[in-house]
Amino acid sequence: MPVITDSQIQMVRNFITTHHIFVIAGHKEPDGDCISSSLVMAKILTTLQKPFQLISAGPFKRPEIKIYEKQFAHEITLPASTGIKIGLIIVDCGEIKRLGEIFPDNKLPAQITDNDILILDHHKTSVEVNEGKHTCCIVYPDAPATAYLVQELYEKLIGKPDKNTAELLFFGLATDTGYFRFLNENSADIFRSAARLIDSGVTPRVIYDKMTSGKPYNTRKLLGLMLDHAQRYFNGRLVITYETMEDTHKYGQEGRDSDSLYQLLLAAADVEAVVFIRQETDSSCTMGFRSKDDIDVSAIAALFGGGGHKNASGCSTPGTIETLTQQIQKQFEKIFVPENL
């Protein structure tokens, strides 16, 4: 697994030293990795006696991150003085537009330039977007979670994490690895990182219960409905399912359990990829993509303005369930139909 180099550690030190206050922000609709990475970066700045603002566009839909919502503001409060240097730390994504409504029209305020941005991410699509653009950019697509990178930063900048910090880091690492289910044979360093967190006082069972318990009852009903909507294509290799606006209105927006949906569908025989479409407005949808092995869904998500990991990606895009279902089939046809290979 990648290791943050000494020169990158020094780069982060210099970034923190040369800025007076900081804004820490992650992607819209945050998950456990995004939230834990943000909070631990805040702990680093606190230890280094640097003031900061934690920002998130939200919404905090996942039950396991609800308890952290009050620590995040939805708007940035910038100082009036022009002599104060502001550093923007972006975690778990690599693009301003993925931060949501924090910056209107995806434009940075005049007080923040490209040289005032530090990016910490592990998504494949962040590499091309930021190549040669930002001076301070640490993106490792092979890292299992942004929290994995933030843990290394914390250990090298501050030292051994206390129990609370270790629990946050373990939570982020467990979130993006599906509680370590998604790891391959080259994962020894990841388990060593997890072991160091356990050595700091983490109880894995407690973190697992936090991630999997407390789901609203309506999410069980909605999960059943999405399973009923599921349709197979290309001899069962692709499954597409959806959630209408009426479904959302009936069962609510809080605590969706799409992770369980993907897990159940990908466990079915022959299924290699799953796409979930949710109609957000009359003319726009969000989509989630999951796949197995060599099927790169990040490339397909990128065609709709999104991105992410090779086997787990997402996007927000104009369209309806019907039109997007057709477009998705055309893209997967290039993968699954032999004459298109």
Side-chain angles (χ1 to χ4, degrees):
M1 290 301 299
V3 176
I4 298 178
T5 65
D6 290 340
S7 62
Q8 288 174 320
I9 293 295
Q10 189 58 48
M11 175 188 72
V12 175
R13 288 185 190 274
N14 292 341
F15 183 85
I16 293 174
T17 300
T18 56
H19 289 84
H20 302 112
I21 65 173
F22 296 85
V23 175
I24 304 171
H27 57 77
K28 186 177 180 178
E29 291 200 30
D31 59 3
D33 186 28
C34 179
I35 293 301
S36 66
S37 297
S38 298
L39 291 171
V40 175
M41 284 305 303
K43 285 177 175 288
I44 290 175
L45 294 176
T46 297
T47 304
L48 298 177
Q49 299 183 325
K50 290 285 188 174
F52 61 86
Q53 301 174 41
L54 280 165
I55 306 292
S56 176
F60 285 66
K61 295 178 180 178
R62 300 168 181 257
E64 66 270 24
I65 65 170
K66 266 290 186 183
I67 59 172
Y68 303 115
E69 184 172 10
K70 292 182 180 179
Q71 299 184 50
F72 291 79
H74 296 300
E75 296 181 356
I76 297 174
T77 303
L78 298 176
S81 173
T82 56
I84 296 177
K85 288 199 69 176
I86 304 165
L88 171 62
I89 300 176
I90 301 176
V91 299
D92 206 34
C93 71
E95 300 175 80
I96 298 298
K97 67 179 182 179
R98 292 205 64 213
L99 301 181
E101 294 75 29
I102 294 174
F103 297 111
D105 300 321
N106 301 320
K107 294 181 180 179
L108 292 171
Q111 300 99 313
I112 302 175
T113 70
D114 284 344
N115 291 330
D116 298 313
I117 299 175
L118 169 63
I119 293 175
L120 301 168
D121 193 19
H122 72 126
H123 293 98
K124 177 184 175 183
T125 46
S126 288
V127 177
E128 293 182 4
V129 170
N130 292 291
E131 191 171 7
K133 182 177 181 181
H134 296 291
T135 305
C136 298
C137 186
I138 299 176
V139 179
Y140 281 120
D142 290 334
T146 299
Y148 178 83
L149 302 175
V150 174
Q151 177 182 348
E152 193 165 345
L153 280 180
Y154 190 97
E155 290 171 341
K156 291 186 176 180
L157 292 173
I158 308 299
K160 181 178 179 179
D162 57 44
K163 180 180 179 181
N164 178 262
T165 304
E167 287 176 338
L168 285 170
L169 290 166
F170 195 96
F171 174 48
L173 181 61
T175 294
D176 264 28
T177 60
Y179 213 85
F180 308 102
R181 299 193 319 274
F182 305 148
L183 298 179
N184 58 29
E185 67 276 9
N186 301 313
S187 303
D189 287 340
I190 300 168
F191 283 101
R192 292 188 187 101
S193 294
R196 294 198 300 273
L197 298 175
I198 293 170
D199 189 51
S200 291
V202 171
T203 303
R205 174 184 54 80
V206 171
I207 304 299
Y208 181 80
D209 288 344
K210 176 182 177 180
M211 292 171 59
T212 59
S213 302
K215 308 291 186 185
Y217 179 74
N218 273 359
T219 64
R220 309 299 93 182
K221 305 283 284 185
L222 183 58
L223 181 59
L225 190 61
M226 290 186 290
L227 289 172
D228 188 53
H229 288 165
Q231 295 292 324
R232 297 188 296 172
Y233 303 89
F234 307 111
N235 295 319
R237 299 174 72 183
L238 170 67
V239 173
I240 302 177
T241 188
Y242 60 87
E243 176 184 330
T244 67
M245 293 172 65
E246 291 76 17
D247 297 336
T248 304
H249 178 75
K250 182 176 181 179
Y251 293 108
Q253 299 185 25
E254 300 301 317
R256 290 187 178 95
D257 198 11
S258 53
D259 290 340
S260 293
L261 174 70
Y262 297 129
Q263 183 179 349
L264 287 168
L265 292 174
L266 282 172
D270 301 321
V271 176
E272 298 178 44
V274 173
V275 180
F276 169 50
I277 309 171
R278 182 169 64 233
Q279 193 79 50
E280 300 287 358
T281 69
D282 289 336
S283 58
S284 67
C285 292
T286 55
M287 295 195 292
F289 301 79
R290 296 294 185 275
S291 65
K292 294 180 180 178
D293 303 325
D294 293 331
I295 298 176
D296 186 355
V297 291
S298 70
I300 296 177
L303 298 174
F304 295 92
H309 305 289
K310 175 182 175 182
N311 300 122
S313 294
C315 67
S316 297
T317 186
T320 65
I321 291 169
E322 292 76 14
T323 59
L324 290 171
T325 296
Q326 295 173 11
Q327 293 173 36
I328 290 165
Q329 289 180 63
K330 290 181 180 178
Q331 295 305 320
F332 276 96
E333 185 177 14
K334 301 173 184 177
I335 298 173
F336 289 139
V337 178
E339 55 265 32
N340 290 319
L341 296 179

